[in-house]
Amino acid sequence: MTELTQNPAAGSAASDDSNAGHPMWSSRLAFILAASGSAVGLGNIWKFPYITGENGGGAFVLVYLLCIALIGIPIMVAEVAIGRRGGSSPINSMRKLAARDGLSKRWVWLGGMGMIASFLILSFYSVIGGWALAYVGNSAGGLFVGASSESIGEMFGGLLSDPYTLLMWHSLFMVLVVMIVARGVSSGMEKAINILMPILFALILVMVGYAMSTDSFGAGFSFLFSPDFSKLTTEGVLTALGHAFFTLSLGMGVMMAYGSYLPKNVSIVKTAFTVSIVDTLVALLAGLAIFPLVFANGMEPGAGPGLIFQTLPIAFGQMPGGVLFGTLFFVLLVVAAVTSAISLLEPVVEWFEEQKGIDRTKGALIGGWSIWALGVLTILSLNEWSGFHPLGMFERFEGKTIFDLLDYVTANLMMPLGGLFIALFMGWFMSKQATENELSIGNGAAFKLLMFILRFVTPAAVLVVFVYNLM
Ligand code: PHE
């Protein structure tokens, strides 16, 4: 991922129809690792289990899987293809492609909205990343050993109620992210991720193994996989759709930016499938590791954002080698969160570089600092301001804190809207010849199916879910 440091966008914006000189990923694998690094993160291990719990399990999971297959994968294909053809940062890619095909300049807004979404998401993502950092310490300090589920619950409650501790961990997380983005993502880092991600995967498998040893594995399994549609609400469907975008990092230009580094001879379709499957597997396995523990300890699946922090430590506290496993697990969770956070800060920094000629280090510092400051609102939402519901007068937003609103607006509105326009752009506006060239799956049945999905299915699905929820 060294390439990301060279600010190709600024250089290639000048020459309109060649991407010559634009750096490339060294291989298909390098791209898959980077894109999976962005996709796999807190969304899979923290958010997926807790929203699944809040939305009643199986039926929600089924809708989520359908959203990944029918909407997420096609949009990932479209987004990466647009990025590769544009060969620059999202805003400039949209500008170039719109100019090339004689379209409205307003397509640039798509890139702009994505950048704002990145900014907002990172502000709360970093606070949750901070929770994971705090738990590295808790685990290494042996605080989980033999602890009851009550005391584990109190530990989490104690963390949330203390704004200064939260601020400290949030700051540390942002410092890590800013340092990496400022220095450029080094190849050393790429190698590290190469090793660490498979270890995280293996550790999740260990946790699933532990869950299997409890007598509630069956209960957890059927909670996840046997759908009960009476538990599914229209809001739940919107949450599932939004999460499909969130977990795959779609609809906001991140995959577009990464796609611009993808060599021409790599199959976008195959790659998008690989990344999506890896991401989905991690989420499902995390669910399988967590829900049996929820039931074994008589806890509520709908416990909310603290779910993994209140369940996994119980298991680490009981299993042999739990201090080591627990510490390793939270370290790797931090790594997964950092690799996603990098991809969230990158577009902001790129924009600074392009618009104002601010260099990478300064851009990372200014961007990181503003995001850090915004993060304070999320921290206060968890304690001092937990009773402050700015949009509480609307029924839809009743009881939602600033943190809840940031999460809702980005994942449930901005990302699907971005995805809708990406699908429309590729389905209806980008030249057919260019689309065929980028996808290189010929123009047979597979191509026709994909185009049909992008033209009709994806836009209709997003619109239907939107309309239902606004009514
Ligand atoms: N996909 C990341 C996760 O699941 C979050 C993310 C969203 C990253 C959007 C980049 C862009 O944790």
Side-chain angles (χ1 to χ4, degrees), residues 281-339:
L281 264 182
V282 173
L284 293 178
L285 287 172
L288 272 181
I290 287 157
F291 284 107
L293 296 176
V294 171
F295 296 116
N297 292 286
M299 297 168 59
E300 265 300 308
L307 192 66
I308 69 158
F309 296 94
Q310 289 163 315
T311 48
L312 293 180
I314 303 175
F316 292 130
Q318 290 167 357
M319 64 207 258
V323 171
L324 182 69
F325 278 135
T327 310
L328 196 58
F329 175 84
F330 285 108
V331 167
L332 295 173
L333 183 60
V334 170
V335 173
V338 166
T339 56

Side-chain angles (χ1 to χ4, degrees), residues 86-292:
S88 334
S89 76
I91 292 186
N92 276 325
S93 284
M94 290 313 299
R95 183 173 290 137
K96 280 163 73 177
L97 295 195
R100 218 182 280 176
D101 294 340
L103 306 170
S104 162
K105 286 204 175 96
R106 298 212 183 100
W107 282 105
V108 170
W109 294 358
L110 188 55
M113 182 175 73
M115 203 195 72
I116 296 171
S118 299
F119 195 91
L120 299 178
I121 292 176
L122 188 49
S123 80
F124 66 82
Y125 203 85
S126 165
V127 175
I128 317 293
W131 297 358
L133 276 172
Y135 271 59
V136 172
N138 289 352
S139 182
L143 299 189
F144 305 153
V145 179
S148 65
S149 63
E150 287 78 39
S151 60
I152 299 272
E154 277 161 23
M155 188 187 297
F156 184 70
L159 174 67
L160 291 206
S161 66
D162 177 359
Y164 295 102
T165 307
L166 288 173
L167 188 66
M168 181 185 87
W169 294 116
H170 162 57
S171 310
L172 183 61
F173 188 88
M174 271 320 285
V175 166
L176 279 174
V177 174
V178 167
M179 265 170 45
I180 295 171
V181 173
R183 296 179 53 209
V185 181
S186 71
S187 58
M189 169 102 181
E190 187 183 329
K191 281 191 199 107
I193 293 170
N194 227 330
I195 303 165
L196 294 175
M197 283 296 139
I199 300 182
L200 175 65
F201 198 80
L203 251 183
I204 296 176
L205 284 177
V206 170
M207 295 309 292
V208 174
Y210 179 83
M212 281 175 154
S213 77
T214 68
D215 48 15
S216 298
F217 188 73
F221 191 90
S222 67
F223 181 77
L224 274 176
F225 296 116
S226 36
D228 172 357
F229 285 95
S230 67
K231 290 194 183 143
L232 193 65
T233 59
T234 47
E235 166 129 32
V237 175
L238 178 63
T239 307
L241 175 75
H243 189 62
F245 283 92
F246 186 86
T247 191
L248 294 177
S249 309
L250 293 180
M252 43 191 288
V254 167
M255 289 296 162
M256 220 185 269
Y258 278 18
S260 71
Y261 304 94
L262 192 63
K264 291 284 175 205
N265 57 359
V266 170
S267 159
I268 291 180
V269 175
K270 268 196 223 155
T271 310
F273 266 95
T274 312
V275 173
S276 306
I277 289 170
V278 168
D279 186 81
T280 307
L281 264 182
V282 173
L284 293 178
L285 287 172
L288 272 181
I290 287 157
F291 284 107

